[in-house]
């Protein structure tokens, strides 16, 4: 048990980025109801993921974390869930081939509903309303009614998360994860000469195993997969309501997802979000932006991982292309000086957001790739293992990030720009990242 901690001790700390609910009685009623609901994940699963991330921290596996910036209640269908799951599996196969290591797959799925915002309000013309904070809090439409934080949305979010997780578990256990199907690329890039050679090698390796009798029919590991869920632990009343004590060990579990992360805007060492997360057994991600100081990182490591457990902490660097050398070395030095066990992961999305001339928020594919390269180079130069990537991506053919093999331009953005928040890599761009990272990992 964690000293002087309870599921609601975060309430004694400053909680940034929290909505102002107007009706306290309604909020209390909703959180009481949520507290009686079943957990979405088990303590055993969270511990297993922590062990696997421990493998990543020792350089024995690779982490692939990806999914929507913000899931929405509207984009809620089997096809969308399946497509993102499928692309992540394909990416994992490519990365496994490149790294010659198992890939730990963690979706930004089944609960990624709450968003931190740079401003508490949004102004359109003369009208100023609360910012959209994700479907678990309010609605995107620019009306006073839609933007009012509504606690009932937590119940809706729970049900959406439960149904999404249910389908993900079915896909992970059923035929969808069959390695033979996963390598049916059928995407543009697999025909592109830059990638077809590696795609063929992966397919050859699978056929070789098949010929040796190591087939999905004989080997369950090739038929099923492990897939975990994660989201930003932002909306603390929701997280608190889904917190439970594990009856076998007495440890406390955040029951909303396997892994939770703390955003770059809410990682104050004495803040409410850190206070909540220090007491739960789940693996924890910490977003590290340019303002992360060595001092703060040291405090966070001590507070969140006092026993230096491997797999407990994943540091997710998100500095922006061209800025990695300026910021990552001091964090690596701090971790080394502390002797801390961490996973080093690169989020090449959040430091590379720009506004296109036509007003769309976008991310250039080349900048995303450049940041990953800088991250890998910086880690390798300092002899730490570049353990993973964290991507905003979808399995759909959206047009939100520019570049990639389809060479999407600013003018293309309007055709299928569907994100509720930040621009995501589409299926082809996401897979292309996996191929390029795989090449990087084998030193190609
Ligand atoms: C996010 O991951 O969607 C996000 C808001 O990231 P960050 O906290 O790194 O800005
Ligand atoms: Co985002």
């Amino acid at each position: 048990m964690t000293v002087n901690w309870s599921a609601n001790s975060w309430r004694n700390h400053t909680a940034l980025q929290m909505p102002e609910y107007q009706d306290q009685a309604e909020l209390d009623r909703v959180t009481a109801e949520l507290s009686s609901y079943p957990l979405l994940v088990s303590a055993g699963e969270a511990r297993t993921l922590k062990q696997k991330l421990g493998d990543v921290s020792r350089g024995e596996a690779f982490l692939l974390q990806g999914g929507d910036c913000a899931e929405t209640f509207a984009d809620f269908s089997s096809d969308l869930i399946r497509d993102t799951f499928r692309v992540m599996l394909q990416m994992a196969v490519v990365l496994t081939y490149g790294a010659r290591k198992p890939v730990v797959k963690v979706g930004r799925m089944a609960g990624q509903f709450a968003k931190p915002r740079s401003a508490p309000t949004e102004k359109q013309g003369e009208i100023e309303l609360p910012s959209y904070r994700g479907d678990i809090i309010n609605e995107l439409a620019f009306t006073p009614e839609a933007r009012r934080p509504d606690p009932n949305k937590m119940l809706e979010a729970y049900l959406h998360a439960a149904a999404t997780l249910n389908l993900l578990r079915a896909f992970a256990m059923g035929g969808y994860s069959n390695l033979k199907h996963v390598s049916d690329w059928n995407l543009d890039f697999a025909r592109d000469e830059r990638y077809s050679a590696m795609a063929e090698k992966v397919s050859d390796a699978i056929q070789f195993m098949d010929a040796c009798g190591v087939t999905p029919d004989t080997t369950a590991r090739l038929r099923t997969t492990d897939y975990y869920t994660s989201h930003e632990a932002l909306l603390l009343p929701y997280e608190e309501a889904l917190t439970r004590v594990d009856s076998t060990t007495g440890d406390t579990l955040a029951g909303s997802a396997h892994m939770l992360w703390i955003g770059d805007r809410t990682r104050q060492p004495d803040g409410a979000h850190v206070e909540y997360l220090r007491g739960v057994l789940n693996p924890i991600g910490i977003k590290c932006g340019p303002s992360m100081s060595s001092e703060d990182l040291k405090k966070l490591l001590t507070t969140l991982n006092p026993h230096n457990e491997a797999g407990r902490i994943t540091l997710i660097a998100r500095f922006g292309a061209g800025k990695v050398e300026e910021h990552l070395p001091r964090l690596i030095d701090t971790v080394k000086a502390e002797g801390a066990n961490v996973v080093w992961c690169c989020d090449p999305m959040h430091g590379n957001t720009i506004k296109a001339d036509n007003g769309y928020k976008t991310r250039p594919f080349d900048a995303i790739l450049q940041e990953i390269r800088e991250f890998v180079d910086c880690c390798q130069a300092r002899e730490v293992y570049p353990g993973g990537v964290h991507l905003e991506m979808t399995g759909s053919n959206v047009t939100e990030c520019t570049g990639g093999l389809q060479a999407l331009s600013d003018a293309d953005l309007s055709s299928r720009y569907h994100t509720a928040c930040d621009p995501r890599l589409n299926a082809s761009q996401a897979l292309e990242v996996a191929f390029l990272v795989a090449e990087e990992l084998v030193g190609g």
Side-chain angles (χ1 to χ4, degrees):
M1 286 297 285
T2 311
V3 185
N4 292 332
W5 182 91
S6 62
N8 65 3
S9 56
W10 64 268
R11 292 175 185 275
N12 302 323
H13 296 251
T14 305
L16 299 183
Q17 296 283 343
M18 216 58 84
E20 285 177 25
Y21 291 110
Q22 282 147 22
D23 186 339
Q24 185 64 40
E26 195 179 27
L27 176 62
D28 292 345
R29 186 185 56 71
V30 165
T31 49
E33 188 167 339
L34 261 183
S35 307
S36 71
Y37 282 8
L39 296 173
L40 296 175
V41 300
S42 75
E45 289 174 323
R47 279 198 201 91
T48 305
L49 174 58
K50 200 156 53 174
Q51 273 168 14
K52 291 187 179 198
L53 291 170
D55 296 343
V56 178
S57 74
R58 288 184 293 273
E60 294 160 10
F62 191 79
L63 167 66
L64 171 63
Q65 189 171 14
D68 286 327
C69 177
E71 288 177 285
T72 62
F73 298 164
D75 278 348
F76 182 55
S77 76
S78 302
D79 287 0
L80 286 171
I81 296 165
R82 181 202 59 209
D83 290 347
T84 300
F85 177 79
R86 177 184 150 96
V87 173
M88 279 190 69
L89 249 51
Q90 291 188 324
M91 295 166 78
V93 169
V94 172
L95 290 165
T96 304
Y97 183 84
R100 305 285 198 266
K101 284 170 190 164
V103 172
V104 183
K105 297 169 287 294
V106 182
R108 286 177 64 116
M109 292 179 92
Q112 175 50 23
F113 290 117
K115 298 309 300 172
R117 303 315 306 251
S118 41
T121 59
E122 179 183 345
K123 217 170 169 185
Q124 290 190 13
E126 287 307 299
I127 303 172
E128 190 169 356
L129 293 173
S131 295
Y132 169 63
R133 289 183 177 275
D135 277 13
I136 195 170
I137 293 169
N138 58 4
E139 293 170 25
L140 190 55
F142 195 71
T143 65
E145 184 44 39
R147 291 294 171 92
R148 186 184 76 90
D150 178 357
N152 291 293
K153 291 187 179 299
M154 286 190 234
L155 301 174
E156 223 176 317
Y158 170 91
L159 295 174
H160 278 79
T164 302
L165 190 55
N166 181 53
L167 194 62
L168 289 170
R169 289 187 193 281
F171 287 151
M173 295 314 292
Y176 229 87
S177 306
N178 187 315
L179 196 59
K180 272 188 181 164
H181 302 314
V182 166
S183 65
D184 289 343
W185 308 106
N186 79 35
L187 278 162
D188 313 343
F189 77 89
R191 288 185 291 275
D192 185 277
E193 63 184 60
R194 270 177 290 176
Y195 304 115
S196 59
M198 192 187 258
E200 248 168 59
K201 281 190 203 162
V202 175
S203 299
D204 281 353
I206 293 169
Q207 278 170 27
F208 176 73
M209 286 194 296
D210 206 53
C212 296
V214 184
T215 71
D217 298 328
T218 58
T219 312
R221 287 304 299 154
L222 301 183
R223 204 165 52 231
T224 63
T225 193
D226 297 319
Y227 192 87
Y228 298 93
T229 59
S230 68
H231 61 256
E232 178 173 347
L234 186 68
L235 186 58
L236 295 176
Y238 178 80
E239 302 300 342
E240 178 190 329
L242 289 173
T243 308
R244 305 280 189 280
V245 174
D246 174 25
S247 52
T248 45
T249 61
D251 290 337
T252 305
L253 172 75
S256 62
H258 300 109
M259 176 180 183
L260 296 173
W261 77 83
I262 314 181
D264 197 42
R265 294 172 184 79
T266 50
R267 57 168 165 71
Q268 302 69 31
D270 55 357
H273 294 82
V274 171
E275 172 61 18
Y276 172 73
L277 286 167
R278 93 184 161 91
V280 297
L281 66 89
N282 311 56
I284 303 298
I286 306 173
K287 289 291 199 91
C288 303
S291 64
M292 175 69 97
S293 65
S294 297
E295 210 41 51
D296 278 357
L297 179 57
K298 221 184 322 187
K299 283 188 205 153
L300 288 169
L301 294 169
T302 317
T303 307
L304 291 167
N305 197 16
H307 305 301
N308 201 15
E309 195 184 356
R312 163 73 167 172
I313 301 289
T314 297
L315 297 178
I316 308 167
R318 35 86 81 221
F319 300 120
K323 297 193 194 143
V324 175
E325 255 321 301
E326 190 187 336
H327 299 291
L328 189 55
R330 71 168 176 272
L331 304 188
I332 294 179
D333 290 346
T334 306
V335 165
K336 281 189 171 176
E338 296 295 295
N341 292 314
V342 302
V343 169
W344 289 104
C345 178
C346 173
D347 164 0
M349 313 302 293
H350 287 89
N352 292 308
T353 317
I354 55 168
K355 203 169 198 169
D357 290 342
N358 52 9
Y360 282 96
K361 208 157 71 151
T362 189
R363 290 162 169 159
F365 186 81
D366 289 347
I368 291 168
L369 217 59
Q370 192 192 324
E371 178 161 0
I372 297 176
R373 288 211 173 96
E374 290 172 16
F375 171 82
V376 171
D377 290 349
C378 185
C379 287
Q380 286 174 345
R382 284 162 188 80
E383 296 181 337
V384 300
Y385 174 63
V389 286
H390 179 120
L391 304 171
E392 285 185 345
M393 51 162 283
T394 169
S396 321
N397 189 18
V398 297
T399 53
E400 298 170 6
C401 293
T402 53
L405 266 184
Q406 298 159 326
L408 296 180
S409 66
D410 287 0
D412 293 321
L413 294 175
S414 62
S415 84
R416 289 179 305 283
Y417 195 94
H418 298 317
T419 184
C421 196
D422 291 336
R424 301 161 295 178
L425 296 166
N426 64 25
S428 165
Q429 291 167 329
L431 210 33
E432 197 177 347
V433 167
F435 271 86
L436 293 165
V437 172
E439 273 178 12
E440 195 94 349
L441 292 173
V442 289

